[in-house]
Amino acid sequence: MTTSELPESWAVSPLGHLGVWNGGGTPTKSNPAFWKGDIPWVSPKDIKVARLWDSSDHLSTGAIEASATTVIPKRSVLVVTRSGILAHTLPIAINEVPLAINQDLKAITPFPGIDAEYLAWALRGLERRILKECSKHGTTVHSVEVSRLQAFDVPVAPQQEQRRIVAKIEELFSELDKGIESLKTARRQLEVYRQSILKHAFEGKLTAQWREENKDKLETPKELLARVKRVRAARYEQQIQEWERAVKTWEAEGKHGKRPLKPGGVKPQMEMPPEEVERLPSIPKGWCFVRLCQVAEVGSGMSVSATRKLENSLKIPYLRVANVQRGFLDLTEVKHMTIERSQLESLQLKQWDVLFNEGGDRDKLGRGWIWQSEITPCITQNHVFRASPYLASEFNSKLLSFWANTFGKRYFDKAGKQTTNLASINKMVLSQFPVPLIPYAEQEEICTQIDQSMMSLDAQGEEIDRALGMADLLRQSILKKAFAGNLVPQDPSDEPASILLEKIRLDREKAGRGAPTATRRRKAKLVE
């Protein structure tokens, strides 16, 4: 940046010439008395607000005297110079009380005539250039080269204009903040609407009129259960036949590897007791509650093992807990494991399988979504369960997953087991999960209405996200205009910044300050 790009009354100065620079340090942890004082001690984790009144750690006067840190006068500009966060942003704050800092920050106490707020806003506005031009390369932790930062040119406005610029920035940003908060409130409200739509869907309210118009065409719960049982029995018979063929093949090939396991039969399920049904949400007449295992085959995945001995191996992609989110699948990173080739048929995910997480953190219990054959073939890790509906369809699977991700949260939370760090459900708990059995024609209608409503909410959410993105761009535009001299009008009566900078230079020389990077004293007294 050159003076030719700025108003005539402005000037450009290296950042190191605009104030006294101080660093910090960390007193020894071996002396507990050092950490029981009243002096705030700031590290990068504290720079989360624009103005600092306190910090999470505090030092005693003895700690200041015995360490490399010092007391920073209030109204200094604190800049983080070493932290992983520098990969994304340059944290800056102004301290409203005297305090100490650690070695990962630098403090700039502005000389008279340089407004601290102006300097802080200028550094925020120049953040991208600073990170690009002053970053230290070849270090494990992101850092800013202090000598480059001190030599970095900063535009300096006349003293009175500095205050007008700060006032205008704060006025415009305050209006922006109000708008952003309104947008965030609207986004939170959209999530409330989503939950309301699903609640109405499973209360039968979405399809109340449709159900009345089609009541003579819908299967009764008894008829529907009978149809599910017939399909379930036919599937089991097919599995037995496939198993018998697999055993014959295994025998013909010399019995290498493990003998194929015989499919387990479906155990008869007792009707759900009335007291359990009473604790479940109310559903319309014509629906009923059943166990998940009555309408779907519940299975688990394969554990990952690098030492497993395999005779006929196959490397296969698998889903982890991280892949199975609530209401969607994150397939950004899909890992692979090696299994016995003969196991693929029994482990492979099928179209419209419903996925459930075993656990981890408590909010992950039962979390999941449906499988739409995004990757073929694919299996699951043992921490991800799958339920294969006997009457497989997109609508059936979606409704099962919607139900599990909303009303199922309470069931899984209550039934899950908690260890020191992890919560989990097992296959039995999942098998006994109560789910609503809805006539299949009505399922399609419910899903259609849910999808239409969700599409509308998604569109509104995208508009909100665009508006939030525009707000961020507007902030950057305001700062760019401010420090190009285009945000507020110039006043001919203002003393030019060049005269201000010359006064600062003369005052420094007169006071014998020496190099601008040197501190006047290694230690400072705590003053109000």
Side-chain angles (χ1 to χ4, degrees):
M1 181 177 293
T2 63
T3 52
S4 62
E5 300 170 321
L6 297 169
E8 289 185 7
S9 58
W10 286 47
V12 173
S13 170
L15 182 58
H17 292 182
L18 299 181
V20 175
W21 286 58
N22 276 295
T26 302
T28 178
K29 300 283 186 178
S30 63
N31 189 340
F34 282 179
W35 299 89
K36 295 181 180 179
D38 298 321
I39 304 170
W41 180 76
V42 174
S43 62
K45 69 176 184 293
D46 297 304
I47 311 294
K48 297 176 181 177
V49 292
R51 291 182 174 85
L52 282 179
W53 297 88
D54 205 349
S55 62
S56 53
D57 298 296
H58 296 80
L59 301 179
S60 65
T61 303
I64 301 292
E65 294 298 329
S67 70
T69 193
T70 188
V71 176
I72 306 300
K74 64 181 181 180
R75 302 294 293 166
S76 296
V77 179
L78 309 183
V79 184
V80 174
T81 54
R82 185 177 183 275
S83 171
I85 200 172
L86 292 173
H88 312 289
T89 187
L90 180 69
I92 293 166
I94 292 175
N95 58 310
E96 299 292 352
V97 294
L99 46 72
I101 58 177
N102 83 345
Q103 63 276 8
D104 296 330
L105 291 94
K106 287 292 181 285
I108 310 167
T109 305
F111 291 131
I114 303 298
D115 185 87
E117 297 284 1
Y118 173 88
L119 187 56
W121 281 120
L123 296 181
R124 294 184 188 109
L126 297 166
E127 174 187 76
R128 293 183 181 179
R129 278 189 52 211
I130 291 173
L131 292 177
K132 181 179 179 181
E133 298 176 19
C134 303
S135 290
K136 186 186 295 185
H137 301 289
T139 57
T140 54
V141 179
H142 287 83
S143 58
V144 168
E145 184 77 57
V146 175
S147 60
R148 293 183 190 174
L149 185 61
Q150 291 172 334
F152 188 86
D153 283 339
V154 176
V156 181
Q159 185 174 356
Q160 295 304 317
E161 189 173 345
Q162 291 178 32
R163 294 170 183 155
R164 295 198 300 273
I165 289 172
V166 169
K168 190 62 176 179
I169 289 174
E170 292 182 346
E171 175 192 341
L172 294 175
F173 275 31
S174 177
E175 293 174 3
L176 262 179
D177 288 340
K178 291 176 183 177
I180 289 170
E181 186 54 41
S182 296
L183 289 170
K184 289 181 177 179
T185 299
R187 189 160 58 183
R188 289 191 293 268
Q189 192 63 46
L190 288 182
E191 186 55 35
V192 174
Y193 291 155
R194 289 180 193 278
Q195 298 304 313
S196 177
I197 289 166
L198 294 175
K199 182 174 184 292
H200 286 172
F202 290 112
E203 290 173 346
K205 294 179 181 178
L206 285 186
T207 48
Q209 182 177 343
W210 182 93
R211 191 167 50 253
E212 179 63 27
E213 294 170 352
N214 294 272
K215 60 184 177 182
D216 298 330
K217 305 173 187 177
L218 299 176
E219 289 176 291
T220 65
K222 187 176 181 180
E223 292 170 338
L224 190 50
L225 267 177
R227 185 155 69 96
V228 171
K229 288 179 180 178
R230 289 194 298 272
V231 173
R232 187 173 65 198
R235 176 181 290 192
Y236 182 64
E237 181 61 30
Q238 181 182 356
Q239 289 174 336
I240 290 295
Q241 292 174 5
E242 292 172 351
W243 169 73
E244 290 173 345
R245 287 194 294 269
V247 170
K248 289 179 180 179
T249 301
W250 174 74
E251 291 173 344
E253 294 177 351
K255 299 183 179 180
H256 293 299
K258 292 183 178 180
R259 188 178 193 272
L261 293 175
K262 184 178 180 179
V266 180
K267 296 179 180 179
Q269 291 290 322
M270 300 287 291
E271 286 191 12
M272 294 178 63
E275 59 270 20
E276 184 176 357
V277 175
E278 287 176 2
R279 293 194 295 268
L280 296 169
S282 297
I283 55 176
K285 185 179 179 180
W287 299 10
C288 69
F289 280 107
V290 294
R291 308 285 187 194
L292 178 61
C293 62
Q294 291 178 262
V295 294
E297 183 180 1
V298 179
S300 58
M302 174 66 74
S303 62
V304 180
S305 173
T307 60
R308 186 181 289 123
K309 294 181 179 180
L310 303 170
E311 294 190 8
N312 189 9
S313 65
L314 175 68
K315 196 169 186 180
I316 197 82
Y318 71 92
L319 300 185
R320 302 164 291 133
V321 168
N323 299 126
V324 183
Q325 299 295 315
R326 195 174 299 281
F328 68 96
L329 300 180
D330 181 357
L331 303 179
T332 306
E333 181 187 10
V334 177
K335 297 187 176 182
H336 291 68
M337 75 164 79
T338 304
I339 65 169
E340 194 71 56
R341 190 176 296 272
S342 61
Q343 295 177 301
L344 178 59
E345 180 61 31
S346 62
L347 292 172
Q348 184 173 340
L349 287 168
K350 301 177 181 64
Q351 178 88 341
W352 308 129
D353 278 357
V354 184
L355 304 171
F356 299 85
N357 278 334
E358 176 192 19
D361 298 331
R362 205 157 189 88
D363 67 331
K364 294 183 178 70
L365 292 176
R367 184 183 75 184
W369 188 232
I370 64 174
W371 181 248
Q372 301 180 68
S373 299
E374 290 90 340
I375 302 169
T376 303
C378 187
I379 65 174
T380 63
Q381 190 184 12
N382 59 316
H383 298 303
V384 178
F385 296 111
R386 68 186 188 280
S388 304
Y390 293 119
L391 296 176
S393 73
E394 177 182 2
F395 315 114
N396 189 20
S397 297
K398 275 188 175 181
L399 286 183
L400 283 174
S401 196
F402 280 141
W403 173 262
N405 285 327
T406 52
F407 293 91
K409 284 182 180 180
R410 183 181 299 176
Y411 171 82
F412 294 125
D413 185 66
K414 186 176 180 181
K417 292 184 178 180
Q418 181 75 50
T419 60
T420 304
N421 298 316
L422 300 174
S424 65
I425 56 174
N426 56 35
K427 185 177 175 181
M428 179 58 69
V429 167
L430 182 58
S431 297
Q432 297 299 302
F433 176 41
V435 298
L437 186 60
I438 305 170
Y440 280 77
E442 188 170 358
Q443 288 187 17
E444 181 174 354
E445 180 64 21
I446 292 173
C447 280
T448 298
Q449 293 201 33
I450 288 176
D451 285 345
Q452 289 174 349
S453 299
M454 294 300 182
M455 284 176 62
S456 174
L457 294 179
D458 287 343
Q460 294 177 57
E462 289 172 2
E463 285 296 323
I464 290 173
D465 289 341
R466 274 195 289 271
L468 288 170
M470 289 299 296
D472 186 53
L473 291 175
L474 186 54
R475 284 184 191 277
Q476 296 174 30
S477 175
I478 290 170
L479 292 177
K480 184 177 180 179
K481 290 178 65 176
F483 298 102
N486 299 322
L487 188 64
V488 297
Q490 278 74 51
D491 187 337
S493 65
D494 287 346
E495 182 180 72
S498 57
I499 296 177
L500 170 63
L501 293 177
E502 181 62 16
K503 287 181 178 178
I504 290 174
R505 186 186 68 80
L506 293 173
D507 285 346
R508 280 179 31 234
E509 289 182 357
K510 184 177 180 181
R513 293 181 187 274
T517 58
T519 56
R520 296 175 64 186
R521 298 187 298 269
R522 182 174 179 274
K523 301 300 169 187
K525 292 182 179 180
L526 188 60
V527 294
E528 292 298 330

